[in-house]
Amino acid sequence: MLEKSFLFKEWVPEWLVKITLFMVLLPGLVLFFLPLTNLNASAGNTGMETYDVYYSVVLFYAGYASFFSLERRFFNFLAAKEYFVIITFIQLLSSYICFMTDKTLVLFIFRFIQGMAFTMTVNLALTLIFMRLHSERARTIGYSIFFGMLVCMIPFNNFATSEIVDSFNFNSLYKCVMYSYLPALGLLLLLMNDVRINVKFPLYKLDWQSFLLYAAFLCLVGYIMVYGQQYYWLEDPVIRGCVGLIFIILTLFIVRQIYAKRPYFNLEIFRYRNFKVGLFLMLIFYICRFAFGITTNYFQFVLKLDPINIGYITLLNIGGIVAGVIIACVFVLAKRPIRLLWIYGFSILLVFHFWMIWLFTPQANESEFFIPLILQGLGVGLIMTPTIIYVVASVPEKYSASAAGICLFMRCFGFYLSIALINYFELLSKGIHYNTFQDHVSKQNPVLIQSVHKINHLLSIHGASVANTARMSNKMLVNTLNVQTQIRFAIDYYELICIMLVFTVILVALFPYINRTIMALTKNQPSPF
């Protein structure tokens, strides 16, 4: 058991250590989903398409997930203080380039590098935190705090960045992130001793081959999920080429893991049934979690709320997440069955999506969404941490690092899949409903004629000329159709989510063997990731 003075100077109080480590983590967490805070501003900053904005987040996730296993070798090679300085320098440099560049390719490259640096930051900072948490209770609370922070990042970013984006260019956010690294760096240089956490392990026989294969696999899968709908999937030769490369890379990667002496991931973990069940439920959860973006899009494009108002509304979602994380932590510490948490969490998400189906209308008051937003956060908070603990605990301790890496992959893939599903069903649903609405837009429709006359009358009252009235009323009619198709898409997608959640709750309720996994965290299991 390490003394506090081993890593930090003797005069440093415990509260200052915790604040410093929190300040180290926060900028990286903000960077994660930063481009999604305001899609239009992010895309307009470098002249990108909306798909490119999503792909920049995909690349960050790919860098984070692919570097997870290889990073531990660097972690064991460098002293903690030296490692922190190198990581912070990488993050500062990459954030500066993202701030300065207007080239999409350059942005993509350094978003991937930011993901790799985020892996380094998370592993080192949380290892230092978890070295100070010696009991199972403390470690469970540590897991809950970290993953609670992670799932709060999208609504927190909406709130924290809305005023900045409203007043400055979007790339100013990268400048703010750069400045936020400096206090943490100064404190680390002042407070930390120049010591090693582990015995120095030379950097030879690094498994760069597995890392490159895995990174290429994640980037290609992400590319297909983001751009597939835009290029009509397999009708495009580039998408077909990516699919072929994915099969080749995946085959080479699996063969390498089977025959390698020290594999990137030990594939023996897939022999454990509850591990696979946990991964499946995590995938379902991530699809539901990122479906929340449809609600925020509804606020922006249908209700015409500005990003500042949306940021304040989503604070309620953060409150729900915090409450859910606390309740889940209490359940885990009390050794309550994991099935109960899953049933409660997925049922609450089911209530949220079903409720939103009835709230999606062209006009609504903000207050009508307060309780649903809290419920969504509560459901997410109840599921996130216990599911990850369950996945890691469902395999023997010697496989826990591989289980953690595969768990991270499943979260990454869940994010990819949610983007693909939303893109696919958005185009499908909007196309169907737009054509249906157009069938009723004719001069023989008395309701339409009455609406057009009403619009023309209002325009003429406000001074519009006769020549402009017809053109303006047609444009307003098209905007009305677009709003209706957006609402119908949101309703259709949430109906599919509701059906999926009903089957998920039934599945969890009917299989009691899920409870056979003992959700206990030992000191040798990996810190959060």
Side-chain angles (χ1 to χ4, degrees):
M1 185 178 298
L2 296 173
E3 299 294 334
K4 182 182 73 172
S5 59
F6 177 80
L7 290 169
F8 293 88
K9 296 178 180 177
E10 294 183 0
W11 56 267
V12 181
E14 185 69 18
W15 60 266
L16 184 56
V17 172
K18 293 177 180 177
I19 289 175
T20 302
L21 294 177
F22 173 78
M23 291 171 64
V24 169
L25 276 174
L26 187 59
L29 289 169
V30 170
L31 273 176
F32 203 143
F33 295 107
L34 187 65
L36 299 184
T37 55
N38 191 316
L39 287 173
N40 292 333
S42 180
N45 182 57
T46 53
M48 298 189 299
E49 298 289 339
T50 303
Y51 292 107
D52 297 329
V53 177
Y54 280 111
Y55 194 59
S56 68
V57 181
V58 162
L59 288 173
F60 188 104
Y61 226 140
Y64 176 30
S66 61
F67 196 55
F68 172 76
S69 295
L70 188 65
E71 184 274 338
R72 293 179 180 273
R73 293 290 303 277
F74 295 91
F75 175 78
N76 291 330
F77 178 74
L78 296 168
K81 185 176 180 179
E82 179 185 3
Y83 199 38
F84 264 130
V85 172
I86 293 173
I87 295 168
T88 306
F89 176 76
I90 293 172
Q91 291 284 33
L92 285 170
L93 178 63
S94 61
S95 297
Y96 176 75
I97 292 174
C98 290
F99 166 69
M100 292 297 296
T101 188
D102 57 356
K103 306 296 183 183
T104 302
L105 180 60
V106 174
L107 181 68
F108 283 170
I109 292 171
F110 282 91
R111 283 291 293 175
F112 183 86
I113 293 172
Q114 284 179 341
M116 295 173 62
F118 180 66
T119 309
M120 301 158 76
T121 305
V122 168
N123 191 28
L124 181 54
L126 291 174
T127 297
L128 296 184
I129 293 172
F130 272 61
M131 286 171 63
R132 317 172 81 80
L133 305 177
H134 305 298
S135 66
E136 180 188 340
R137 177 177 179 273
R139 292 178 68 83
T140 302
I141 294 172
Y143 264 72
S144 300
I145 291 173
F146 173 70
F147 287 114
M149 290 170 58
L150 187 60
V151 295
C152 283
M153 275 305 105
I154 293 180
F156 174 78
N157 283 352
N158 289 338
F159 168 73
T161 64
S162 57
E163 295 277 2
I164 299 174
V165 174
D166 189 59
S167 304
F168 304 97
N169 291 333
F170 182 85
N171 61 346
S172 299
L173 296 177
Y174 288 108
K175 184 190 292 186
C176 294
V177 171
M178 288 166 55
Y179 291 142
S180 67
Y181 274 109
L182 297 179
L185 178 61
L187 286 172
L188 288 171
L189 292 173
L190 177 65
L191 305 181
M192 287 190 72
N193 293 317
D194 194 11
V195 296
R196 297 182 180 277
I197 300 175
N198 302 301
V199 177
K200 184 175 181 178
F201 196 83
L203 290 177
Y204 68 91
K205 294 185 178 179
L206 290 174
D207 195 1
W208 285 106
Q209 297 87 342
S210 293
F211 164 70
L212 293 174
L213 288 172
Y214 189 36
F217 169 76
L218 291 178
C219 292
L220 288 172
V221 171
Y223 182 87
I224 292 175
M225 294 296 183
V226 172
Y227 295 101
Q229 184 62 61
Q230 184 181 6
Y231 296 119
Y232 299 100
W233 301 104
L234 295 178
E235 294 182 17
D236 184 74
V238 175
I239 299 296
R240 290 199 301 270
C242 289
V243 171
L245 280 175
I246 285 172
F247 279 112
I248 294 172
I249 291 172
L250 184 60
T251 302
L252 292 174
F253 183 78
I254 292 174
V255 170
R256 183 172 179 82
Q257 304 319 299
I258 292 173
Y259 293 102
K261 184 177 180 180
R262 288 181 293 271
Y264 215 63
F265 299 120
N266 195 320
L267 302 183
E268 290 292 317
I269 56 178
F270 288 101
R271 296 173 56 187
Y272 298 91
R273 181 172 57 180
N274 281 5
F275 175 75
K276 292 180 284 188
V277 170
L279 292 180
F280 171 74
L281 292 176
M282 183 174 294
L283 182 64
I284 298 295
F285 166 67
Y286 260 67
I287 292 173
C288 297
R289 178 193 167 197
F290 287 105
F292 183 66
I294 294 176
T295 298
T296 55
N297 286 339
Y298 166 78
F299 290 155
Q300 183 175 0
F301 297 113
V302 177
L303 298 186
K304 307 299 182 183
L305 298 180
D306 62 83
I308 297 175
N309 280 341
I310 295 174
Y312 283 112
I313 292 174
T314 51
L315 286 178
L316 295 169
N317 188 246
I318 295 177
I321 291 172
V322 172
V325 167
I326 293 172
I327 295 170
C329 185
V330 171
F331 266 67
V332 172
L333 292 174
K335 307 296 184 184
R336 299 299 300 276
I338 182 66
R339 280 200 309 160
L340 288 179
L341 277 175
W342 280 337
I343 290 173
Y344 296 158
F346 284 118
S347 297
I348 290 172
L349 289 179
L350 174 61
V351 171
F352 163 74
H353 289 93
F354 185 76
W355 196 341
M356 288 303 300
I357 289 173
W358 297 98
L359 292 179
F360 284 137
T361 55
Q363 297 178 343
N365 294 322
E366 295 177 17
S367 58
E368 296 175 4
F369 301 95
F370 290 171
I371 296 178
L373 289 176
I374 294 173
L375 287 178
Q376 199 274 346
L378 183 64
V380 168
L382 284 174
I383 297 171
M384 180 72 172
T385 304
T387 305
I388 292 174
I389 295 175
Y390 179 87
V391 171
V392 176
S394 62
V395 300
E397 194 174 289
K398 63 180 179 179
Y399 297 141
S400 58
S402 293
I406 296 298
C407 183
L408 179 54
F409 162 74
M410 191 55 66
R411 287 157 49 202
C412 177
F413 182 70
F415 174 64
Y416 291 1
L417 186 60
S418 68
I419 294 175
L421 290 174
I422 290 173
N423 287 343
Y424 174 76
F425 284 106
E426 182 175 17
L427 183 62
L428 178 65
S429 180
K430 284 186 175 181
I432 292 173
H433 292 298
Y434 193 84
N435 291 332
T436 302
F437 288 135
Q438 277 191 326
D439 291 339
H440 294 84
V441 177
S442 65
K443 295 181 179 180
Q444 286 74 36
N445 189 331
V447 177
L448 176 64
I449 295 173
Q450 184 179 359
S451 299
V452 171
H453 284 317
K454 184 177 180 180
I455 293 172
N456 290 338
H457 178 67
L458 291 172
L459 291 173
S460 61
I461 289 176
H462 287 82
S465 63
V466 177
N468 292 330
T469 298
R471 185 169 63 254
M472 294 171 67
S473 62
N474 287 336
K475 185 176 180 180
M476 293 177 67
L477 182 62
V478 171
N479 289 337
T480 302
L481 289 178
N482 290 333
V483 166
Q484 290 295 332
T485 54
Q486 175 68 30
I487 292 173
R488 287 305 311 175
F489 153 66
I491 292 173
D492 291 346
Y493 193 78
Y494 274 26
E495 284 176 348
L496 294 174
I497 294 292
C498 287
I499 294 170
M500 183 178 66
L501 287 171
V502 168
F503 281 106
T504 302
V505 172
I506 294 173
L507 177 70
V508 172
L510 293 181
F511 290 94
Y513 69 78
I514 290 172
N515 287 331
R516 294 178 185 175
T517 294
I518 299 174
M519 294 178 60
L521 295 173
T522 65
K523 64 180 181 179
N524 294 323
Q525 283 177 324
S527 57
F529 35 85

